[in-house]
Amino acid sequence: MSIKAAAIWAPAPATTRGQPTQLSSDPKGERIAYANNKSIFLRSIDNPSVSTQYTGHTTNTTVARFSPSGYYVASGDSTGTVKVWDCVGEGTTKGTYPIIGGAISDIAWDGDSQRIIAVGNGKERFGHCITADSGNSVGEISGHTSQINTVSIRQQRPLRAATGSDDSNTVFYHGAPFKFETMLREQHQKSIYGVAFSPDGSLLVSVGADRKIWLYDGKTGAAKTSVGADEHKGSIFAVSWSKDSKSFVTSSADQTVKIWDAEAGKVSQSWRLGAEGVVNPLDHQVGVVWPVGRSDGLIISLNLAGDLTYLTKGTDKPQRVVQGHQKNITAATTSGSTGSSETLWTGSSEGRIYSWDTTTGVAEIANGESHSNYVSSLASSQSSRVSSVGWDDTLRTIDSSTKTFIGGVTKTDGQPSAVATTPDGKVTIVATHKAIEVFDDSSKVSSTPTKYSASALAVSNSSIAIGGDDSTLHIHPLPSSASSSSALKESKSISLPGPQITTLAWQGQSTSAQYLAVGFSNGKISVFDTSSWEVAISRWSSHTGRITSIEWNAEGTHAVSGSLDTNVFVWSVEKPGRRISVQNAHKDGVNGVGWLGKGKIYSVGGDAAVKIWDVAFS
């Protein structure tokens, strides 16, 4: 057997309300770079399902910027560390440089791809200038009294740099080495969120929370004019120039993106994003980039929800909206027929549920009212319905054909840990910390109290298996219909002293299911023969952390497992000692795995990404 990576379906950029999010494009206009959790993602603009992931940081990342040469990326994190790494080869880290004592807010490269200025919220200083290859100091970033939010370097000589800060001041620097030249105090009255030199170096623009836009001479730093008074009705979070330096684009909390004629100081085009007439904080436009290497006028804007909206100069409607999770993916399942027509469903710790087209890798958020927080489990059936439970103590149902929540919100008696449905979708079982509940079309028909807190649940056509914190495997016969389940009767209990049961998986949802795989908190997996309830396989024991997910392939010959140890394993029933693995599949742990047809598996985890793997059994 062998396994290799087939695709990374990247998460959305991480965002923070009331703060700008920096986006960067490569010189060819082919990829964008952004931060999410502890990773940096480089994502194809034209084919967003193609991306690469850099995992060199050990804490949450905050910003990434392509070098003008296109060969390197500089990225920063919450500890004030900047890493420079190769973005055209294997992602090798070229240098690791501690810059400040707090989070990095922005990074800028000089035109020679030799120097970097990194800024943020430090303790002793708010920024520093270094060489990209060695980290040697080549200047001092001074003059500010609060966090620096943004920085830009003029790409022509003589070198100039500018920074904008929460102290409402713009500081202009001469270089190299970079040193303080002048402070511009009168232009902005609130935090400055974006500064950018035009590609030809003739102008500098600044934007901020006071909704103002200022233009400066790119060589001297002298203030020239303020443009667009009262055009934006909310904070302006980001600004980016067109490649001809004649126009720039701004994005704002008023849910608009505007193109400006730099010479005339007038708006040449404007888009309002989000539902018409509806004010929604999630539609605040907190980042924007105008890729300089393109000739099609494409602009990419980012909203607070993480949606990347593709806008084209001269057209009124968005060309495309790219969606994805921003937080840890906590649950996953598939619906539809096995193979190319399957849909992957994922839920995350912020309560969102997305569907993924497994042929294109395109994500779409489920329509309607979702969970308010952590999605703990997802389950699907052949009836085109997907059930979800979350830590808001609710059960919800999605019509997989329309990708829409249907029915009402059903409250559970306690915090649900897992949900499962029969193949025909007629019966839904929910396990909570104090009961096992049975539902018929989202209506509760029975609740069986338990003396244990359920930690795992699996349903076949004939039985229900439940794992609890009492280190016992509980087996119940499945009622013929939900209406007949006045109370569940336990038919068997198997004491398994030691680690807690964390996940369960039947070998196929059929009455002939022979095996039940049981995953434990210590990384071990035991496979029970259900005809005798003896352990049939005990050699699946290579994980070193909590087993979070197990799923059998359709043939029942192999199983895939994921664990908090960050690894994915594929196991063989015929040869239990034979296995293949993906080490470090997901930073911060694997939370879900499964099969997509024959020879293909998916995995999800703490990095908010979905990954696809090709498996060969020969």
Side-chain angles (χ1 to χ4, degrees):
M1 295 191 296
S2 64
I3 187 170
K4 64 178 181 179
I8 298 175
W9 298 342
T15 58
T16 302
R17 186 170 181 176
Q19 294 294 322
T21 299
Q22 310 298 344
L23 300 176
S24 174
S25 67
D26 68 5
K28 295 180 179 179
E30 296 175 347
R31 297 182 292 175
I32 57 172
Y34 57 79
N36 182 285
N37 292 302
K38 296 179 182 178
S39 301
I40 299 295
F41 290 89
L42 308 183
R43 193 168 194 172
S44 169
I45 292 175
D46 294 313
N47 186 3
S49 64
V50 176
S51 62
T52 56
Q53 179 182 11
Y54 175 74
T55 58
H57 290 274
T58 57
T59 59
N60 283 344
T61 55
T62 53
V63 62
R65 295 284 191 182
F66 284 102
S67 68
S69 68
Y71 293 114
Y72 300 101
V73 168
S75 55
D77 63 30
S78 59
T79 66
T81 298
V82 168
K83 291 181 179 285
V84 177
W85 44 280
D86 166 27
C87 64
V88 295
E90 298 298 320
T92 304
T93 301
K94 302 296 183 180
T96 300
Y97 312 119
I99 302 295
I100 56 177
I104 300 292
S105 299
D106 200 5
I107 295 171
W109 291 81
D110 73 348
D112 300 325
S113 299
Q114 294 180 352
R115 304 173 186 86
I116 293 171
I117 296 178
V119 299
N121 188 17
K123 297 178 180 178
E124 297 179 355
R125 60 187 181 189
F126 299 109
H128 197 48
C129 183
I130 60 171
T131 55
D133 59 351
S134 64
N136 292 331
S137 177
V138 284
E140 184 179 69
I141 303 302
S142 60
H144 289 293
T145 58
S146 289
Q147 170 180 327
I148 301 177
N149 298 313
T150 177
V151 61
S152 183
I153 298 178
R154 187 173 186 259
Q155 301 296 285
Q156 298 78 17
R157 293 181 181 277
L159 293 180
R160 301 289 187 261
T163 54
S165 167
D166 279 348
D167 62 14
S168 77
N169 298 323
T170 303
V171 174
F172 202 73
Y173 305 87
H174 284 193
F178 287 96
K179 59 182 179 180
F180 177 93
E181 178 62 25
T182 185
M183 180 181 292
L184 303 164
R185 299 176 178 270
E186 308 298 327
Q187 285 66 39
H188 291 278
Q189 281 71 52
K190 294 183 179 180
S191 297
I192 298 173
Y193 291 141
V195 296
F197 283 95
S198 60
D200 65 6
S202 63
L203 292 172
L204 170 72
V205 62
S206 66
V207 300
D210 58 3
R211 313 174 192 176
K212 293 183 178 180
I213 302 172
W214 273 90
L215 291 172
Y216 313 82
D217 184 283
K219 187 174 180 179
T220 67
K224 294 171 67 83
T225 183
S226 176
V227 302
D230 299 322
E231 276 284 349
H232 279 297
K233 307 304 180 185
S235 297
I236 306 173
F237 286 116
V239 61
S240 183
W241 285 90
S242 64
K243 66 178 180 180
D244 61 7
S245 299
K246 294 180 179 180
S247 303
F248 59 87
V249 62
T250 55
S251 63
S252 168
D254 64 8
Q255 302 181 203
T256 65
V257 177
K258 297 178 184 290
I259 297 178
W260 300 79
D261 183 308
E263 183 176 356
K266 303 291 185 181
V267 174
S268 60
Q269 186 166 359
S270 179
W271 296 270
R272 186 188 185 280
L273 303 177
E276 187 174 350
V278 177
V279 177
N280 186 349
L282 293 178
D283 288 315
H284 288 182
Q285 303 300 307
V286 297
V288 70
V289 63
W290 198 333
V292 296
R294 302 178 71 94
S295 58
D296 57 2
L298 179 68
I299 294 166
I300 302 175
S301 182
L302 170 69
N303 70 9
L304 185 63
D307 298 342
L308 293 165
T309 302
Y310 288 34
L311 306 166
T312 303
K313 184 178 180 181
T315 61
D316 295 331
K317 301 295 182 181
Q319 175 184 332
R320 143 190 266 175
V321 178
V322 178
Q323 298 183 316
H325 290 286
Q326 291 181 294
K327 302 291 186 181
N328 174 20
I329 299 178
T330 54
T333 191
T334 56
S335 66
S337 59
T338 301
S340 60
S341 62
E342 283 183 286
T343 298
L344 174 65
W345 295 87
T346 54
S348 59
S349 59
E350 79 264 53
R352 298 181 195 168
I353 296 176
Y354 287 87
S355 65
W356 299 79
D357 185 323
T358 57
T359 60
T360 63
V362 173
E364 181 180 350
I365 194 167
N367 298 312
E369 183 184 358
S370 187
H371 295 277
S372 60
N373 53 28
Y374 194 102
V375 178
S376 53
S377 183
L378 293 168
S380 65
S381 68
Q382 297 169 358
S383 63
S384 299
R385 291 190 175 187
V386 175
S387 298
S388 65
V389 292
W391 285 2
D392 53 3
D393 295 353
T394 63
L395 166 68
R396 299 169 193 251
T397 303
I398 301 170
D399 185 327
S400 60
S401 60
T402 61
K403 299 178 174 61
T404 302
F405 285 97
I406 58 175
V409 176
T410 304
K411 293 292 291 184
T412 60
D413 286 340
Q415 187 176 91
S417 58
V419 62
T421 61
T422 54
D424 58 13
K426 293 181 178 180
V427 180
T428 300
I429 312 293
V430 175
T432 76
H433 74 287
K434 61 180 181 180
I436 306 301
E437 301 177 333
V438 180
F439 295 84
D440 179 10
D441 195 22
S442 298
S443 298
K444 187 188 300 182
V445 296
S446 75
S447 179
T448 304
T450 60
K451 296 181 179 180
Y452 56 87
S453 177
S455 55
L457 170 69
V459 173
S460 74
N461 261 0
S462 59
S463 301
I464 303 170
I466 303 165
D469 60 1
D470 58 352
S471 298
T472 299
L473 178 62
H474 303 269
I475 307 299
H476 300 260
L478 184 69
S480 57
S481 66
S483 59
S484 66
S485 57
S486 56
L488 295 178
K489 303 297 184 182
E490 186 171 283
S491 61
K492 191 171 187 64
S493 64
I494 304 171
S495 178
L496 302 171
Q500 183 176 327
I501 298 171
T502 55
T503 189
L504 298 166
W506 292 98
Q507 186 192 34
Q509 282 190 324
S510 68
T511 55
S512 61
Q514 181 182 358
Y515 293 128
L516 175 67
V518 182
F520 295 94
S521 58
N522 65 351
K524 310 299 182 184
I525 299 173
S526 295
V527 179
F528 286 84
D529 185 330
T530 58
S531 62
S532 63
W533 291 108
E534 297 293 332
V535 175
I537 300 173
S538 60
R539 298 180 64 186
W540 295 0
S541 56
S542 296
H543 284 293
T544 58
R546 175 190 178 101
I547 305 294
T548 56
S549 180
I550 302 172
E551 185 169 303
W552 295 87
N553 65 348
E555 297 77 15
T557 57
H558 296 80
V560 59
S561 62
S563 166
L564 291 184
D565 64 8
T566 75
N567 304 327
V568 172
F569 279 85
V570 177
W571 312 91
S572 169
V573 173
E574 182 180 0
K575 299 179 179 179
R578 189 181 180 192
R579 63 187 181 275
I580 52 175
S581 67
V582 180
Q583 304 294 313
N584 302 312
H586 291 271
K587 204 171 180 71
D588 285 345
V590 179
N591 293 329
V593 292
W595 296 86
L596 295 173
K598 189 173 183 178
K600 195 176 290 289
I601 61 175
Y602 69 83
S603 62
V604 299
D607 55 9
V610 176
K611 299 187 179 182
I612 308 299
W613 313 90
D614 287 329
V615 179
F617 297 114
S618 58

